[in-house]
Amino acid sequence: MSGMVDHARELVRGAEQMGLSLTERQVELLLGYLTLLNKWNKAYNLTAVRNPDEMVSRHLLDSLSVLPFVSAGRWLDVGSGGGMPGVILAIMRPDSEFTLLDSNGKKTRFLTQVQLELGLGNMQVVNSRVEAFTPDQLFDGIVSRAFSSLADFTNLTRHLSGPETQWLAMKGLYPDSELQALDADFTVTHSEELAVPGCQASRHLLILRRTAQG
């Protein structure tokens, strides 16, 4: 129990350092997700991070760092894996809809369990390859956390976007070489170096848009 109290303290403190205020319910849900991630990780290998103490900064706070850039609307988390950042964003943005897509059946089974146990009615789980995914509606925003190169990320999701869609790519080091391979109709509208409490590694967010229909 003391571990959970420590995690709650670290989570709230870290969020405050990023200018975010968490409600008691949000803290409860985020820690509930952490508990499920730690439990299922033993059998499903959802993340290389084994220590729950590290998971607070490397998964919860890292995902929360992009929250200010996520506007209300329909969002797709591509290659969601263990649910970062999609689950965290769904918890924090109940006014928006989040589709978490992954081709790995074990990972989507875990995400479905998270959706059920945490009661996240604004979260949908899809087990599919992204190129085969054909939703009823296009997305306002598409986010990925280390899913693939920027060129693959944008090209594989191009069919899921409308003229106003934003792509949010969470990266470690600033991806200079990846930017050179980007298709001409995509442009970076904003880049941000993210400071994630408890995480020493470099973190960057790139926001992209299509400059022309193609």
Side-chain angles (χ1 to χ4, degrees):
M1 185 65 190
S2 62
M4 266 306 190
V5 172
D6 291 341
H7 292 156
R9 201 173 289 128
E10 183 186 353
L11 176 60
V12 170
R13 189 186 304 124
E16 285 176 350
Q17 288 174 22
M18 294 189 293
L20 301 172
S21 179
L22 304 179
T23 66
E24 283 187 27
R25 179 61 177 157
Q26 287 166 341
V27 171
E28 180 186 337
L29 289 170
L30 289 167
L31 293 181
Y33 165 65
L34 190 73
T35 299
L36 289 169
L37 182 64
N38 186 47
K39 176 184 171 185
W40 283 60
N41 198 39
K42 294 176 175 67
Y44 275 39
N45 195 27
L46 300 164
T47 167
V49 180
R50 298 289 175 190
N51 185 339
D53 296 337
E54 284 185 57
M55 286 181 180
V56 174
S57 62
R58 292 179 62 181
H59 291 330
L60 298 186
L61 294 176
D62 187 53
S63 296
L64 284 171
S65 69
V66 301
L67 185 66
F69 305 94
V70 175
S71 52
R74 281 174 47 79
W75 282 83
L76 173 68
D77 178 13
V78 181
S80 188
M84 289 77 70
V87 171
I88 291 88
L89 296 177
I91 289 170
M92 298 301 298
R93 288 267 188 269
D95 59 334
S96 296
E97 293 178 40
F98 294 88
T99 297
L100 278 58
L101 181 140
D102 203 281
S103 60
N104 183 307
K106 282 187 176 182
K107 291 177 178 176
T108 53
R109 279 196 289 279
F110 165 71
L111 293 174
T112 299
Q113 193 64 26
V114 169
Q115 193 269 338
L116 290 170
E117 290 205 29
L118 300 186
L120 298 175
N122 64 330
M123 181 179 126
Q124 177 188 12
V125 179
V126 176
N127 177 215
S128 171
R129 293 181 62 82
V130 62
E131 55 268 41
F133 179 44
T134 53
D136 294 334
Q137 288 178 272
L138 299 175
F139 292 95
D140 302 306
I142 302 172
V143 62
S144 81
R145 183 180 187 248
F147 164 63
S148 63
S149 70
L150 288 175
D152 284 347
F153 172 43
T154 48
N155 280 325
L156 288 171
T157 55
R158 177 189 289 272
H159 68 290
L160 303 170
S161 68
E164 301 301 319
T165 300
Q166 292 189 91
W167 282 258
L168 270 61
M170 299 171 69
K171 294 286 182 179
L173 296 170
Y174 192 81
D176 287 298
S177 59
E178 291 184 26
L179 286 167
Q180 293 169 22
L182 204 60
D183 275 12
D185 63 334
F186 282 96
T187 185
V188 176
T189 60
H190 182 77
S191 66
E192 186 88 12
E193 186 168 6
L194 301 171
V196 180
C199 181
Q200 304 306 315
S202 177
R203 303 296 296 149
H204 287 83
L205 174 69
L206 279 74
I207 301 177
L208 303 97
R209 279 185 185 265
R210 285 170 69 186
T211 51
Q213 296 302 292

